[in-house]
Amino acid sequence: MILSKRWLNDYCKVEADDREFFEKMTLSGSKVECWEKEGEELKNIVLGKVLSLEKHPDSDHLWICQIDIGADEPVQIVTGAQNLKEGDYVPAALHKSVVAGGQKITRGKLRGVMSNGMLCSLGELGLTVNDFPNAIEDGIMVIDDECDLTLGKDIRDVLRFNDTKYEFEITSNRSDCLSVTGLAREAAATFGTDFEMPKPEVKGGHGDVNDFLKVKIHEPSLCYRYCGAVVENVRIKQSPLWLRERLRASGVRPINNIVDITNFVMLELGQPMHAFDLRYLEGNEVNVRRAAKGETITTLDGEERDLSEDMLVIADDKKPVAVAGVMGGEYSGIMDDTTTIVFESACFNGFSVRSTAKTLGMRTESSSRYEKELNPESCMLCLTRALELVQTLDAGDVVNGTVDVFPTPKEPVKLPLDADWINKFIGIELSEQEMTAILQKIGFTVENGIITAPYFRNDIEHQADISEEIARFYGFDKIPDWKLRGVAEAMLTDEQEFDKLLESTMRSIGYSEISTFSFISPKAYDKIALAPDSELRKSIVISNPLGEDTSVMRTTAIPSMLEVIARNYNYRTPAAKFYENATTYASNGTEELPDENKMLTFGEYGAGSDFYTAKGAVEALFKVLGIENARFTALKNNPTFHPGRTAEISIDGEKIGVIGEIHPKVCKNYKIGAKTYIGYLSWNELFKFKNTNKVYKQLPKFPALTRDLAVVCDKKTEVAVLENAIRQGAGKMLEKVELFDIFEGAQVGAGKKSVAFSLVLRSPERTLTDSEADNALNKALEALKAIGAVIRS
């Protein structure tokens, strides 16, 4: 809902700047999304008067104009417009001005003649011919006496193109706020000012409406009320400036006085209206009924639409003339030769209107309001207001009387004012008198402890609704914080705490979180080169997939990760690291739900990424999780990964995941032109082996002894195997072992390599002797010898 500040001030005076208005209205429950000032980008454009027009000496179409802008000297401006004459009032963009679209205007010569600015058209002011019907679209705007003709005045003030527009987010239960008066009432209550809405009055006319119009509601469950009035001798013309400017500021295009009246009333009071041309209403009858089987209607937009029996229509004696609450029929609109009209102000069932609009694919401003269930009590007020405007604008002659069919008037909602219950419910302390004052300023009445909700508040049903009204005007920011009574304090489960630790650790070591779909294409298994008989191809098939690309539940998250990496690579992101706590799905061979397994999947590419950096990330994660006995074993038979740069990860002999470089053929399948590294770890296994209990460990009291050890072994022997043998052989005295050299060459023999380690030995109880350190070293050498590694001579 867009609210005009100028229109708002017709009903309540709010002395607040835009930010204060935004903040206070939002805090009291009417959320302001944003605001905009009309014509804000226009700079240094003023009202001028054409004093003289002279042909340009070097052009057939240019004119040299002398423009009076209320200064001591006229301003010379050269223009190519052909619609000007002496005495015309025009918008003059002077030197260093800005027109619509942000274009800057400066003085300069046109064909050798100095022009000190530019005369503006409608478009250059950000306006259209609907805003000013007397102007022309393809020439300079000539301003008439509807406007303030003070020379030199800012053009925004002259054209009244200086309103502020607030855009509100209106919740579906507050249909009363889909109107200027509804928001004005809220603003008055918020800022403590008076809300004034004059009661519309219609002067006596002629004739009797019952001689012109008969109304019958055949479906009272779908049409709660129907009010009608007739206007003869209709005079179609443009609406006055004050009405057009309010419509424009509210986002509605002015058309003509009759159509503008219906739109004005809809925006002002929230009740959609429609005007029918009486000559096309056969039998002068209005029948509110369901559409007959096979009936069609051509709506105002020129489209022929098929109607169904569950749709409500407005029909005359023979045919539908409008789709109730949605749009009028082709011949129901107001035309230039219309002489007699019927004003309709009705209230329809919201669900019926919504269903019809959706089926016909034509959601309108009218239907969007009816969908939120309007109150039938507003119908007569809106009809009276429309007739008042007809007389004010001299748009026609009102026929005496109105037709009002109201089968089941709605009783007002009454609730007791229970101050103790409300205070306890909200958690505040207000007296009954203070609550009464809050309720009265938003239209409620309180008498003898009974609250009567105003007719326009459809959302009031329970004591909790009353409490909400009191809370929002008392101030949500003033309500003290307190815990829910009788509810245990919320705590994260061990699994949730572990998830937080896992994900925060991955982010801290440079990986960004992604979230991908759990369903993939079966072709993804071919792209990652899975064997035809791989167990991972046994996916759960979705019975109603969106398409083949999302037809199976994934058994591995590697395709999802590769898709994200491929997208970033092709968007020319030079390097990236991602992780996902991904769920995979495995069939358990029964009709039961599949087994769900969480896998921490991570991937990277770009400068600085290689197998060892990825392995380092895993080791950093294990360190945070307190996992100390992980092993990395070469893996050569996984077709997704490079056979020489992949490792299987295990803890105490249990396989928990894989890490490695993606096979070049797989990268090619995904159009990734960089070496890519991916790993995955079983969430359940990580949770099982974690040890996050931090135990204080005293700093060493005794010095350490260091020894270097170089052994020759088979070239294919993994360093991790050698390191594990050293740890087992050296025993508890070994504090740390680090690899510092690998050498291959003729000196160590063909098919061999030399591997050198640095050992740190320490006892927590005493200073080690050299003999104790040598003894530990000898035991390590024996363990190495058992796996074919001998000391290098």
Side-chain angles (χ1 to χ4, degrees):
M1 171 71 190
I2 299 174
L3 175 66
S4 154
K5 185 176 183 178
R6 182 176 291 137
W7 202 348
L8 168 71
N9 285 327
D10 289 345
Y11 310 106
C12 71
K13 304 297 181 184
V14 176
E15 301 296 334
D17 61 30
D18 294 329
R19 179 159 292 280
E20 184 184 0
F21 183 81
F22 155 72
E23 290 175 349
K24 288 190 174 181
M25 289 295 287
T26 299
L27 195 60
S28 68
S30 303
K31 184 181 178 184
V32 182
E33 288 286 340
C34 59
W35 72 84
E36 175 189 352
K37 294 182 181 294
E38 285 185 328
E40 189 173 22
E41 64 181 339
L42 303 181
K43 306 293 182 187
N44 201 24
I45 306 176
V46 300
L47 179 69
K49 182 179 181 181
V50 179
L51 297 178
S52 65
L53 291 164
E54 180 184 343
K55 276 284 189 181
H56 192 293
D58 196 27
S59 173
D60 293 334
H61 70 281
L62 294 178
W63 293 87
I64 303 171
C65 305
Q66 301 300 322
I67 307 296
D68 183 1
I69 59 169
D72 294 337
E73 298 288 336
V75 175
Q76 179 172 290
I77 294 177
V78 179
T79 180
Q82 305 300 308
N83 65 308
L84 296 181
K85 63 182 185 301
E86 292 182 4
D88 283 344
Y89 289 87
V90 292
L94 305 179
H95 177 54
K96 293 185 178 180
S97 59
V98 180
V99 298
Q103 183 181 354
K104 297 179 180 179
I105 305 300
T106 58
R107 66 167 61 101
K109 289 186 177 181
L110 291 178
R111 297 271 181 106
V113 176
M114 177 61 70
S115 178
N116 294 295
M118 180 180 79
L119 302 182
C120 300
S121 66
L122 282 168
E124 286 156 345
L125 297 174
L127 297 166
T128 70
V129 71
N130 297 102
D131 301 313
F132 289 91
N134 292 333
I136 61 174
E137 286 187 295
D138 57 353
I140 300 302
M141 180 183 185
V142 177
I143 300 171
D144 56 30
D145 57 7
E146 271 193 309
C147 302
D148 180 355
L149 300 181
T150 302
L151 295 176
K153 193 170 186 177
D154 190 306
I155 201 65
R156 295 174 63 235
D157 298 331
V158 171
L159 302 178
R160 296 179 64 81
F161 188 45
N162 55 0
D163 203 351
T164 301
K165 303 185 289 185
Y166 303 104
E167 185 170 348
F168 284 82
E169 178 188 311
I170 307 299
T171 54
S172 58
N173 65 321
R174 291 300 304 274
S175 58
D176 61 297
C177 286
L178 285 170
S179 65
V180 177
T181 52
L183 289 173
R185 188 181 291 109
E186 292 288 309
T190 300
F191 290 93
T193 62
D194 294 331
F195 171 70
E196 298 178 1
M197 188 176 76
K199 184 178 180 180
E201 295 182 359
V202 180
K203 300 173 185 176
H206 67 282
D208 184 349
V209 69
N210 294 298
D211 296 335
F212 292 84
L213 182 66
K214 296 181 178 64
V215 175
K216 185 173 183 180
I217 297 176
H218 298 264
E219 293 288 342
S221 63
L222 300 182
C223 179
Y224 308 132
R225 188 178 189 181
Y226 194 102
C227 300
V230 174
V231 177
E232 283 194 301
N233 304 319
V234 171
R235 296 175 279 280
I236 304 296
K237 54 187 176 181
Q238 72 182 49
S239 298
L241 178 61
W242 66 266
L243 193 151
R244 299 198 312 269
E245 73 187 25
R246 283 160 173 73
L247 293 181
R248 180 191 65 231
S250 302
V252 175
R253 178 169 58 93
I255 298 175
N256 60 52
N257 53 356
I258 298 299
V259 176
D260 291 351
I261 285 171
T262 61
N263 286 332
F264 184 92
V265 172
M266 178 182 69
L267 294 169
E268 182 184 47
L269 301 174
Q271 171 70 46
M273 292 189 63
H274 191 68
F276 293 98
D277 191 328
L278 185 63
R279 61 183 162 170
Y280 297 114
L281 203 64
E282 295 193 46
N284 288 11
E285 287 187 16
V286 168
N287 292 286
V288 187
R289 60 171 174 83
R290 292 181 187 269
K293 186 176 181 180
E295 270 189 323
T296 62
I297 186 173
T298 300
T299 47
L300 279 171
D301 56 6
E303 295 287 329
E304 184 176 355
R305 304 182 186 274
D306 296 323
L307 304 174
S308 61
E309 295 174 70
D310 58 348
M311 296 179 182
L312 193 70
V313 297
I314 310 300
D316 58 20
D317 190 32
K318 296 181 179 179
K319 64 185 183 306
V321 294
V323 182
V326 182
M327 187 180 286
E330 182 179 19
Y331 296 107
S332 70
I334 304 304
M335 305 174 190
D336 291 341
D337 60 346
T338 297
T339 58
T340 305
I341 61 170
V342 175
F343 273 131
E344 166 195 281
S345 178
C347 189
F348 305 109
N349 176 275
F351 177 81
S352 171
V353 172
R354 181 178 183 276
S355 176
T356 299
K358 185 177 181 181
T359 302
L360 296 178
M362 50 187 300
R363 194 168 188 265
T364 62
E365 187 74 27
S366 174
S367 69
S368 67
R369 281 174 159 75
Y370 279 121
E371 288 172 10
K372 295 174 177 61
E373 281 292 336
L374 302 180
N375 196 296
E377 296 293 337
S378 301
C379 293
M380 186 54 71
L381 171 68
C382 295
L383 184 65
T384 307
R385 176 60 167 150
L387 295 177
E388 180 186 52
L389 286 170
V390 167
Q391 293 182 336
T392 301
L393 305 184
D394 189 30
D397 301 327
V398 176
V399 175
N400 284 326
T402 57
V403 176
D404 184 6
V405 182
F406 198 179
T408 52
K410 184 179 179 181
E411 292 295 323
V413 175
K414 295 179 181 290
L415 294 167
L417 176 57
D418 188 338
D420 292 338
W421 188 93
I422 292 171
N423 280 329
K424 185 177 179 181
F425 184 75
I426 302 173
I428 58 176
E429 293 183 6
L430 283 180
S431 67
E432 187 172 311
Q433 290 72 24
E434 289 172 313
M435 292 182 183
T436 299
I438 289 175
L439 293 170
Q440 286 177 339
K441 69 181 183 179
I442 50 175
F444 290 75
T445 58
V446 183
E447 292 182 0
N448 301 320
I450 300 298
I451 304 167
T452 302
Y455 72 89
F456 50 81
R457 291 300 300 273
N458 281 346
D459 58 311
I460 303 299
E461 297 178 357
H462 310 289
Q463 281 284 354
D465 299 322
I466 299 297
S467 300
E468 181 185 357
E469 299 304 302
I470 291 170
R472 67 193 183 95
F473 286 108
Y474 170 77
F476 289 125
D477 55 329
K478 299 177 185 177
I479 299 174
D481 296 334
W482 46 277
K483 295 179 182 178
L484 294 175
R485 300 182 182 92
V487 179
E489 186 174 350
M491 295 178 63
L492 295 177
T493 64
D494 290 343
E495 290 78 4
Q496 290 170 328
E497 288 282 8
F498 181 66
D499 256 340
K500 286 185 65 179
L501 177 62
L502 204 63
E503 295 187 6
S504 64
T505 303
M506 293 303 293
R507 289 192 293 271
S508 70
I509 57 180
Y511 289 81
S512 299
E513 185 179 11
I514 62 171
S515 181
T516 59
F517 289 125
S518 296
F519 29 83
I520 60 174
S521 168
K523 294 178 181 178
Y525 299 136
D526 296 326
K527 293 179 75 174
I528 63 171
L530 286 185
D533 59 349
S534 172
E535 287 294 316
L536 293 177
R537 286 185 177 270
K538 296 179 180 179
S539 302
I540 304 296
V541 179
I542 300 173
S543 58
N544 58 339
L546 297 174
E548 184 184 1
D549 289 347
T550 54
S551 61
V552 299
M553 305 301 291
R554 65 186 177 194
T555 57
T556 170
I558 291 177
S560 304
M561 180 61 69
L562 285 170
E563 290 283 357
V564 174
I565 289 175
R567 190 177 306 116
N568 280 270
Y569 176 80
N570 286 296
Y571 285 167
R572 298 189 179 183
T573 305
K577 295 183 176 184
F578 304 107
Y579 81 90
E580 180 179 17
N581 227 345
T583 304
T584 60
Y585 303 82
S587 173
N588 51 27
T590 69
E591 293 184 358
E592 299 296 323
L593 292 174
D595 295 330
E596 296 186 22
N597 300 300
K598 287 175 72 174
M599 303 295 291
L600 177 64
T601 307
F602 52 96
E604 60 183 88
Y605 74 92
S609 292
D610 59 24
F611 173 81
Y612 294 104
T613 57
K615 178 174 178 284
V618 175
E619 290 171 336
L621 176 64
F622 285 171
K623 185 175 182 179
V624 173
L625 300 181
I627 297 173
E628 298 179 346
N629 49 351
R631 290 194 61 187
F632 295 81
T633 309
L635 181 66
K636 300 181 181 298
N637 59 356
N638 190 321
T640 303
F641 292 89
H642 192 293
R645 299 169 190 165
T646 303
E648 188 171 68
I649 308 168
S650 61
I651 302 174
D652 291 344
E654 291 190 34
K655 299 174 183 177
I656 69 162
V658 170
I659 184 171
E661 181 183 325
I662 294 298
H663 198 289
K665 290 183 179 179
V666 175
C667 283
K668 186 177 180 180
N669 290 340
Y670 282 91
K671 298 181 181 179
I672 302 172
K675 289 185 178 180
T676 302
Y677 303 88
I678 283 182
Y680 58 86
L681 298 166
S682 168
W683 189 95
N684 290 332
E685 296 299 322
L686 291 176
F687 184 76
K688 173 182 171 183
F689 289 109
K690 71 178 175 64
N691 181 15
T692 52
N693 295 322
K694 304 300 181 184
V695 179
Y696 170 71
K697 188 176 181 180
Q698 187 175 331
L699 291 172
K701 292 181 180 180
F702 304 100
L705 293 177
T706 60
R707 296 288 187 270
D708 290 343
L709 177 62
V711 294
V712 177
C713 63
D714 191 86
K715 188 176 179 178
K716 294 182 179 180
T717 303
E718 298 170 13
V719 171
V721 174
L722 299 173
E723 184 179 318
N724 189 55
I726 293 172
R727 290 184 182 280
Q728 289 179 346
K732 294 181 179 180
M733 289 185 185
L734 182 64
E735 184 177 274
K736 185 166 65 173
V737 57
E738 286 186 344
L739 172 73
F740 69 84
D741 184 53
I742 298 177
F743 174 75
E744 296 177 21
Q747 296 91 326
V748 296
K752 299 291 183 178
K753 65 181 176 181
S754 170
V755 185
F757 296 94
S758 176
L759 283 63
V760 178
L761 302 156
R762 192 195 308 265
S763 169
E765 301 169 352
R766 65 187 186 281
T767 300
L768 290 178
T769 63
D770 286 338
S771 61
E772 286 175 319
D774 292 340
N775 186 44
L777 186 63
N778 290 332
K779 287 182 179 180
L781 285 170
E782 289 176 9
L784 288 167
K785 188 176 181 180
I787 60 172
V790 296
I791 190 166
R792 181 177 175 184
S793 57

